[in-house]
Amino acid sequence: MTYDKNNVFAKILRGEIPLKSEDKIFENDFVLSFYDINPKKKIHALIIPKGEYTDLDDFSKRASEKEIAELIKGINTVAKKLGISIDSGKGYRALANIGENGGQEVPHLHFHLLGGEKVGKMVS
Ligand code: AMP
C-alpha cells in the first residue's frame, strides 16, 4: 500500500496539526509519542516512527535496523515515563493494529500503550 501523506499522524509530524506540549510524551530523532485523543484506558499513549511507514508489515520490510531498534526501545522509554513499565509500574499492553482486518484506522504505523489499570482481555 502506498503511504498516504495526508494521514493525521503525518500531519502531526509535519506540524500541520499542532501537538500541545501537554499531549507530547516523548520525542527523539526517530519516534514521537503523544496521548491518544480518545483514550480507551486510564493511560492511553501512542508511539509512532518519524519515517513514512503505513503499518508494521511495511515497517518490517523497509525500515532500517536503527529505526526498528529505536521504535522498540521507545516503547519502553514511554512506558517508564508514564510509570507503567515493569520497572516503575504494573505493566501495560502494547499493540499495533495492522490493516483492515486488524482494525487500523490511521495509516501510519503506531503502537498503542494502554495501562494505568488492568487492561482486561486481549480481544473481546
Ligand atoms: P488505530 O485504529 O490503531 O489506527 O488507532 C488510531 C488511533 O489514533 C485511535 O485510537 C484514535 O483515537 C487516535 N487518534 C486519531 N487522531 C488523533 C489525534 N489527532 N491525536 C491523537 N490521537 C489520535
Side-chain angles (χ1 to χ4, degrees), residues 44-58:
H44 187 170
L46 300 171
I47 181 166
I48 66 175
K50 288 194 170 177
E52 296 181 343
Y53 301 103
T54 303
D55 54 44
L56 192 59
D57 284 355
D58 183 32

Side-chain angles (χ1 to χ4, degrees), residues 81-123:
K81 276 198 139 207
L82 295 174
I84 58 175
S85 72
I86 293 296
D87 305 326
S88 59
K90 293 187 172 176
Y92 61 101
R93 179 169 298 150
L95 67 87
N97 296 319
I98 302 161
E100 188 184 342
N101 278 8
Q104 183 177 2
E105 287 170 9
V106 177
H108 180 110
L109 171 61
H110 49 282
F111 275 91
H112 298 256
L113 276 68
L114 299 150
E117 61 183 314
K118 287 251 193 314
V119 175
K121 277 191 178 175
M122 192 165 76
V123 179

Side-chain angles (χ1 to χ4, degrees), residues 52-71:
E52 296 181 343
Y53 301 103
T54 303
D55 54 44
L56 192 59
D57 284 355
D58 183 32
F59 189 68
S60 317
K61 280 188 271 185
R62 296 194 301 109
S64 67
E65 302 289 310
K66 178 76 173 160
E67 287 175 300
I68 292 170
E70 290 289 338
L71 181 59

Side-chain angles (χ1 to χ4, degrees), residues 8-9 12 34-38 40 44 46 97 103-106 110 112:
V8 64
F9 295 166
I12 288 173
F34 49 92
Y35 287 105
D36 195 292
I37 204 168
N38 182 20
K40 298 288 195 301
H44 187 170
L46 300 171
N97 296 319
Q104 183 177 2
E105 287 170 9
V106 177
H110 49 282
H112 298 256

Side-chain angles (χ1 to χ4, degrees), residues 25-43:
I25 301 164
F26 176 72
E27 180 173 21
N28 66 15
D29 287 346
F30 296 91
V31 300
L32 175 65
S33 174
F34 49 92
Y35 287 105
D36 195 292
I37 204 168
N38 182 20
K40 298 288 195 301
K41 292 291 165 196
K42 265 189 194 159
I43 295 178

